[in-house]
Amino acid sequence: MTSAREAGAPTGGAGRRLPRLRPFRSWTLRSRVVLVVVAMLAVLGAVIGTVSVFALQNYLMQRLDGQLTSALERGQHAADRIYGDQPTGPDVIGIVQTPGQQTGTFGVIRSGEMLLYPVILSERPKTTSPDQPVAPQRVPIATTALLSLPSDGHPRTIDLGPTLGEYRVAAVDLTNGDSVIIGLPLSDVNATVSRLTLVIVLVTLAGLVFAFLLASVVVRLAMRPLERVAGTAEQVSKLPLDRGDVALAVRVPEADTDEHTEVGRVGSAFNRMLGHVASALTARQASEQKVRRFVADASHELRTPLASIRGYAELTRRSPHELPSDVTHSLGRIESEATRMTSLVEDLLLLARLDEGRELDRDPVDLTLLLVDALSDAHAAGPGHEWVLDLPEEPVEVVGDAPRLHQVLMNLLANARVHTPEGTKVTAGLRAEGDRAVVTVADDGPGIPEELQASLFERFARGDSSRNRATGSTGLGLAIVQAVVQAHGGEVTVVSEPGSTVFTVTLPLAPADSSADLLTAAPIP
């Protein structure tokens, strides 16, 4: 057997196997609808949120770039005014202190491969007057990106190091050949975009939870009519429609048959189908009742003339006058066929009465004694077979009709005797399993063809030469076995292959308080 580890299945502590998720196609319709609705809202929320974030970020970047362009122009004019065409001096502060520059403005002069005195306008102290100039501060920066920055005035995003972070910077040339670089911080833009992203994520998650709960309630309410239709179908599926009186009164409620809705059309169509099925079953029941009544009446009426035929034939053969040999033979054949026909009529009459549901006797019956008697009779009728009896130490008792149960055992043993060759070993067994009594009749004969096993208990069933029926069998023996066993609340099955055929009869055991004093059966000598 493949272990959970070999099969790739996840396992929990102490070797416990974790449950697997069912495939999507096996989910209920309600679960799939809720999942699809929530998934669609999640995708829609993600798209709307992404577009909103990028749109806001693009707007803020464009506004910052406009501010940076203005700051760069002011810085360039200030640098040209301060330095003119002279070499750059140490006073870079005047560039970022030019009127109009906002707090956080970064400025530096690039002269050849050097960056001279980078400064940034500090935020105004809280105790400082609004009219007081903001003091610039000299700060350390990452020089590599600024040295390679083109002097085209086009804004670019550069990380100026852990102290300043990301800045939007641009550079232009001065009249003395140097370049001035002006930058504005991206911290406000990034903070605004991050805050909007967080808000969108939280609102989307809250909306998905609310949508899940709302969709679950709405879908549950919408699916109730379909669940009622399914409940009606399940109730009908449990009805015993194959036998007995058929009362198909189950219908989909009228409220669920509105043909303006999809579920209503299903419910209405299902009700119409149930109506057609009920009509067909009623017609079938009426036809079966007629046939059963005819068979019962015909069987009952045939018993008297058949008895008369047998009586006259036997009386004629016993006449004191000597009869010709051919007449004697003919009378013997008439008597024999009348006897066979009487047996057939009796079997048909029994089946008809069982089909009509006539009550059987309900008395305590010792199956051990019945099996001993039945096997003794079978041994006398078929001495060429080997008969074996397998009984438990304690008697097994059921509640039922003793003559009918005796007939079941006789028919099973006769079936094994008639349809197997001499020398076949036939074993009749009895045991108690739980609350059931189990009777088995097994033989090691040629077996029953597989194609015949499905119809073996039907009336007038005939087998092939492997279990020859040309021995006077009526084909009703196993049908009577099944009918009697079912009337007692039991069942009969058969398993057969060449060299082994086992008929198994199970019957409910008698309650403990109905037990009587039972005789212990002696084995057959």
Side-chain angles (χ1 to χ4, degrees):
M1 181 179 295
T2 304
S3 66
R5 184 179 300 275
E6 293 171 347
T11 57
R16 186 171 61 253
R17 189 183 183 92
L18 297 178
R20 288 186 176 181
L21 292 177
R22 292 182 300 167
F24 182 75
R25 63 178 178 273
S26 65
W27 289 18
T28 62
L29 179 60
R30 181 172 57 203
S31 301
R32 284 185 282 179
V33 170
V34 172
L35 178 63
V36 169
V37 170
V38 174
M40 290 176 61
L41 291 178
V43 172
L44 183 61
V47 171
I48 293 176
T50 302
V51 172
S52 300
V53 169
F54 278 108
L56 177 63
Q57 186 180 34
N58 186 57
Y59 167 73
L60 295 178
M61 291 292 288
Q62 288 181 356
R63 189 177 69 172
L64 184 63
D65 288 346
Q67 295 173 353
L68 177 60
T69 301
S70 300
L72 184 62
E73 291 177 355
R74 288 190 293 269
Q76 183 183 18
H77 294 324
D80 288 337
R81 184 177 66 253
I82 294 172
Y83 304 118
D85 56 359
Q86 300 299 320
T88 305
D91 189 11
V92 186
I93 298 175
I95 298 175
V96 297
Q97 281 186 326
T98 301
Q101 302 290 46
Q102 62 184 14
T103 302
T105 301
F106 165 79
V108 67
I109 295 297
R110 184 175 59 190
S111 179
E113 296 297 326
M114 294 185 299
L115 297 174
L116 305 177
Y117 309 107
V119 295
I120 182 173
L121 281 179
S122 301
E123 293 192 8
R124 188 186 309 275
K126 295 181 179 179
T127 59
T128 304
S129 171
D131 297 332
Q132 183 178 350
V134 180
Q137 293 180 351
R138 300 186 185 277
V139 292
I141 59 171
T143 60
T144 304
L146 293 178
L147 288 175
S148 61
L149 182 68
S151 300
D152 55 3
H154 184 71
R156 291 174 174 82
T157 300
I158 293 179
D159 189 353
L160 297 182
T163 303
L164 299 180
E166 288 188 332
Y167 263 69
R168 196 73 170 166
V169 299
V172 292
D173 292 332
L174 300 176
T175 56
N176 64 355
D178 293 339
S179 301
V180 61
I181 300 175
I182 300 296
L184 294 177
L186 279 172
S187 56
D188 291 342
V189 173
N190 292 338
T192 303
V193 172
S194 298
R195 190 174 296 110
L196 177 64
T197 302
L198 179 61
V199 171
I200 290 177
V201 169
L202 294 179
V203 171
T204 302
L205 290 177
L208 290 178
V209 172
F210 176 75
F212 172 79
L213 297 177
L214 182 61
S216 299
V217 173
V218 172
V219 172
R220 183 183 296 274
L221 293 176
M223 289 295 177
R224 281 183 178 177
L226 187 59
E227 291 177 354
R228 288 193 289 268
V229 173
T232 303
E234 184 176 0
Q235 186 178 356
V236 172
S237 67
K238 296 178 180 179
L239 296 177
L241 304 180
D242 57 333
R243 62 186 181 275
D245 294 333
V246 178
L248 194 57
V250 181
R251 293 292 186 276
V252 176
E254 188 68 25
D256 300 328
T257 58
D258 184 5
E259 296 194 0
H260 293 90
T261 64
E262 292 81 357
V263 176
R265 287 198 293 270
V266 173
S268 179
F270 189 70
N271 278 350
R272 290 195 297 272
M273 182 189 70
L274 290 179
H276 295 326
V277 171
S279 299
L281 292 176
T282 301
R284 185 213 68 182
Q285 182 72 8
S287 176
E288 290 182 356
Q289 288 293 347
K290 290 180 180 179
V291 172
R292 290 169 183 167
R293 192 176 302 110
F294 170 76
V295 172
D297 293 344
S299 301
H300 182 75
E301 294 297 329
L302 286 174
R303 296 170 73 185
T304 301
L306 285 174
S308 299
I309 293 174
R310 292 176 57 189
Y312 279 112
E314 184 178 357
L315 180 62
T316 304
R317 285 194 304 106
R318 294 182 179 181
S319 173
H321 304 289
E322 184 177 354
L323 298 176
S325 58
D326 56 342
V327 174
T328 303
H329 174 73
S330 298
L331 290 175
R333 292 297 301 158
I334 291 173
E335 187 177 358
S336 173
E337 292 302 316
T339 301
R340 181 171 179 271
M341 192 170 182
T342 300
S343 176
L344 174 61
V345 168
E346 294 290 343
D347 290 345
L348 287 174
L349 185 58
L350 174 61
L351 287 173
R353 289 174 175 174
L354 291 175
D355 289 341
E356 291 177 355
R358 294 192 181 182
E359 289 293 332
L360 300 174
D361 292 339
R362 295 292 178 181
D363 300 318
V365 178
D366 182 7
L367 287 181
T368 308
L369 292 178
L370 287 185
L371 195 57
V372 169
D373 293 342
L375 196 70
S376 298
D377 296 341
H379 183 271
H385 286 67
E386 181 182 354
W387 303 94
V388 178
L389 190 60
D390 182 14
L391 295 177
E393 295 182 359
E394 298 294 332
V396 178
E397 188 181 53
V398 298
V399 175
D401 192 319
R404 299 283 78 82
L405 292 176
H406 183 266
Q407 187 174 8
V408 167
L409 300 178
M410 288 297 300
N411 285 0
L412 290 176
L413 294 172
N415 180 75
R417 171 178 57 82
V418 171
H419 304 303
T420 57
E422 290 189 0
T424 301
K425 180 180 178 180
V426 181
T427 303
L430 176 64
R431 65 183 184 274
E433 291 185 358
D435 60 346
R436 312 287 286 185
V438 181
V439 181
T440 58
V441 176
D443 67 70
D444 56 0
I448 304 172
E450 185 176 355
E451 62 273 10
L452 178 63
Q453 295 181 25
S455 59
L456 191 63
F457 295 98
E458 294 180 1
R459 299 172 189 187
F460 300 106
R462 289 293 189 273
D464 58 11
S465 58
S466 64
R467 295 177 73 91
N468 189 11
R469 298 276 185 170
T471 55
S473 173
T474 63
L476 295 177
L478 295 181
I480 291 176
V481 168
Q482 185 181 55
V484 173
V485 170
Q486 289 180 349
H488 283 79
E491 62 178 2
V492 56
T493 59
V494 60
V495 177
S496 180
E497 59 184 17
S500 175
T501 298
V502 181
F503 285 87
T504 304
V505 174
T506 60
L507 296 168
L509 285 173
D513 57 359
S514 66
S515 299
D517 294 333
L518 302 177
L519 298 177
T520 303
I524 294 180

